[in-house]
Structures are given as C-alpha cells and as structure tokens.
Amino acid sequence: MPDAHDVRRIALSFPDTTEKTAWSMPTFRVAGKMFATLPEKETSMAVRCPKTERDELVLAEPEKFWVADHEAFSAWVRVRLSALEDDGELTDILADSWRQAAPHRLLEAHPDLGLASQ
C-alpha cells in the first residue's frame, strides 16, 4: 500500500516538480502550479481531475475517491492512499494530475510521461 513517502518520491521524480508547504500541508507543483497535496495527516492526497471524470471516479470507487466540501466546485479529487493497489496506480494518478498542470513546454519535452502506453 502506497503512503505519503511514496507520493513524495513519485511526485518529485516528475520534471520541474518542487515541494512547498502551503495551508500547513505538503503541496507539489510543476513549474510553480500545484498538482497534488497531502492533506488529512498525509493519509490521502488531492489531485487535479476534470469534474466530469471526478464524478465518475467517486461513483465507481467511493472507497478510494471523494470530494472535499470546499473542493466541490473545483477540479480536484481526494484519494485515500490506503485504498490504492500499488505504486503503479499511484504513479498513474499523480502523472495524470501533473499533465493537467504542466506547461506546454514540459508536455512537449515529455510526451509519454505517465501515459498507460509506456
């Protein structure tokens, strides 16, 4: 089962990613734009997710995904780390969020980063 250490290790392995404390929790940013956080005493993570996909995820796997009340109108979803199968699933989720926040120059330089076809 992945934990906060794995989130940190994987997130920081992505190009141009840094860790910064904000709102008293670790956040991960690509080129200064946030793509993941470690709230709830680092037992979950919040990642970027389009609202339409987010709603489907929450309905399909409510034990894994949920939306915090204050994020209901934003494009973020929470993920329970204890519900993830392995580092591969964690990497896929973080890479998808990274791609949503990364500037075009990084997407062009790393077109296959985190894509399932790798």
Side-chain angles (χ1 to χ4, degrees), residues 7-98:
V7 171
R8 186 170 278 109
R9 174 179 52 81
I10 293 167
L12 292 173
S13 74
F14 298 145
D16 205 10
T17 295
T18 58
E19 181 176 347
K20 179 180 178 181
T21 300
W23 307 287
S24 300
M25 72 179 128
T27 67
F28 300 91
R29 299 160 189 258
V30 54
K33 194 169 181 183
M34 192 164 44
F35 71 93
T37 68
L38 278 168
E40 281 85 42
K41 298 183 182 177
E42 300 188 4
T43 61
S44 70
M45 67 178 177
V47 293
R48 291 177 173 269
C49 184
K51 287 184 200 176
T52 53
E53 291 177 29
R54 178 186 74 184
D55 295 342
E56 292 174 18
L57 283 172
V58 171
L59 285 172
E61 298 183 85
E63 71 287 350
K64 189 178 293 186
F65 300 102
W66 88 98
V67 178
D69 290 341
H70 69 280
E71 294 168 343
F73 298 103
S74 65
W76 287 81
V77 68
R78 299 286 175 106
V79 184
R80 289 176 182 87
L81 296 177
S82 63
L84 296 177
E85 293 178 27
D86 55 27
D87 279 4
E89 185 177 23
L90 175 60
T91 299
D92 290 346
I93 292 168
L94 284 168
D96 186 53
S97 187
W98 181 91

Side-chain angles (χ1 to χ4, degrees), residues 14-17 30-31 33 35 48 94-115 118:
F14 298 145
D16 205 10
T17 295
V30 54
K33 194 169 181 183
F35 71 93
R48 291 177 173 269
L94 284 168
D96 186 53
S97 187
W98 181 91
R99 284 192 305 274
Q100 291 176 62
H104 285 288
R105 67 177 171 79
L106 286 175
L107 295 174
E108 289 172 2
H110 305 279
D112 297 329
L113 181 73
L115 296 178
Q118 278 189 321

